[in-house]
Amino acid sequence: MDVVWDGVRCAEQLRQQAALVRHSLADAAKTGDWAQVFDVLSAHSDLVNVTRLDGPSLYAPLHQAAHGGAPVAIAQRLIDMGAWRTLQNARGERPVDVAERRGHRQLLDILAPRCKHSVPLGILLRIQGLFHDVIRGRIVREFKLPEQELRLPELEPLLELDLPEMWFPVPGMYGGFRFRIDQTGVNATLISESWSRVVDGSGHRHLITSEGTKLVEEGFV
């Protein structure tokens, strides 16, 4: 099963019922109604890292747990369901940073990132910026889609995964971007494969390092 980076930010990108589910999840997490949060996630586990539609804070449920000082067991359950410890809010804070700022020291240990792969942060952010350039080049200039309605992928959560790979579906593109870290350390490499299933030969494969981006294959799919 693919790990998905859900970049949807606007309610208008979704059907009404799907938007209502996300609003319900965001409301429950903000008020600390964890029974309701887990009721929603039991049916929609893929939403564990999503944020409020049309909201500015980019708080996922684990950020809300950190903000409100939820019991450690709540944070652990969210993490067990796939919540990322390294996901950032709009201020650039991870859940552990929110908990520290709010004085919820009992959560610092459980929220401390546990990365299974290592890439120096400066190198990772450089690669991330170049990856975003690739995404914009395709969805804005090639497919004429509004980039401002999407939350582009952050790469740090990849480091938490056994297999550092995700799928980023793009509404309106009828496809998206599959991306993975192929090498780690100072020689870290990101491989991005993107396509639209309604456009023959639209496949692009890019190899991205901190030194630049190279289109290594095109025309597949």
Side-chain angles (χ1 to χ4, degrees):
M1 181 177 178
D2 286 334
V3 177
V4 175
W5 177 271
D6 190 315
V8 173
R9 294 191 61 179
C10 303
E12 65 182 18
Q13 294 174 293
L14 299 171
R15 294 181 179 179
Q16 183 179 21
Q17 184 56 41
L20 288 174
V21 169
R22 294 187 185 220
H23 284 308
S24 173
L25 176 62
D27 289 343
K30 184 175 182 178
T31 60
D33 185 350
W34 297 110
Q36 175 64 14
V37 166
F38 292 120
D39 278 348
V40 174
L41 291 178
S42 66
H44 306 277
S45 60
D46 56 313
L47 301 183
V48 69
N49 289 299
V50 302
T51 62
R52 182 181 295 279
L53 294 171
D54 303 303
S57 70
L58 300 184
Y59 267 45
L62 194 60
H63 289 98
Q64 294 289 12
H67 187 272
V72 171
I74 294 296
Q76 182 66 68
R77 187 172 176 186
L78 289 169
I79 291 165
D80 290 343
M81 296 184 77
W84 300 323
R85 292 177 168 101
T86 54
L87 185 65
Q88 296 183 16
N89 63 17
R91 298 175 64 173
E93 295 174 305
R94 304 161 301 173
V96 68
D97 302 318
V98 175
E100 185 169 19
R101 172 168 58 82
R102 297 280 294 175
H104 301 309
R105 300 193 61 81
Q106 77 279 8
L107 289 171
L108 297 186
D109 182 63
I110 189 62
L111 295 178
R114 272 77 156 170
C115 293
K116 299 176 181 179
H117 311 275
S118 177
V119 178
L121 183 58
I123 290 175
L124 191 69
L125 293 178
R126 170 67 175 163
I127 293 172
Q128 179 175 294
L130 294 171
F131 180 39
H132 288 181
D133 289 342
V134 169
I135 294 172
R136 293 187 187 99
R138 299 222 74 189
I139 67 175
V140 177
R141 292 190 288 275
E142 186 174 346
F143 291 99
K144 311 301 182 185
L145 299 173
E147 176 242 334
Q148 68 271 17
E149 295 181 359
L150 293 172
R151 182 178 186 180
L152 301 186
E154 297 166 17
L155 298 186
E156 197 170 4
L158 286 173
L159 304 181
E160 299 186 50
L161 306 177
D162 290 324
L163 177 65
E165 177 176 303
M166 289 188 191
W167 168 245
F168 172 42
V170 177
M173 183 176 168
Y174 301 99
F177 296 76
R178 184 176 301 282
F179 57 100
R180 68 181 185 274
I181 292 178
D182 192 53
Q183 296 185 52
T184 57
V186 296
N187 296 315
T189 300
L190 185 79
I191 295 177
S192 165
E193 297 176 337
S194 56
W195 62 85
S196 169
R197 62 180 179 271
V198 299
V199 180
D200 289 341
S202 63
H204 281 190
R205 181 175 292 111
H206 289 86
L207 188 152
I208 306 170
T209 70
S210 61
E211 297 180 342
T213 301
K214 182 178 181 180
L215 177 63
V216 294
E217 186 178 355
E218 59 183 317
F220 59 92
V221 179

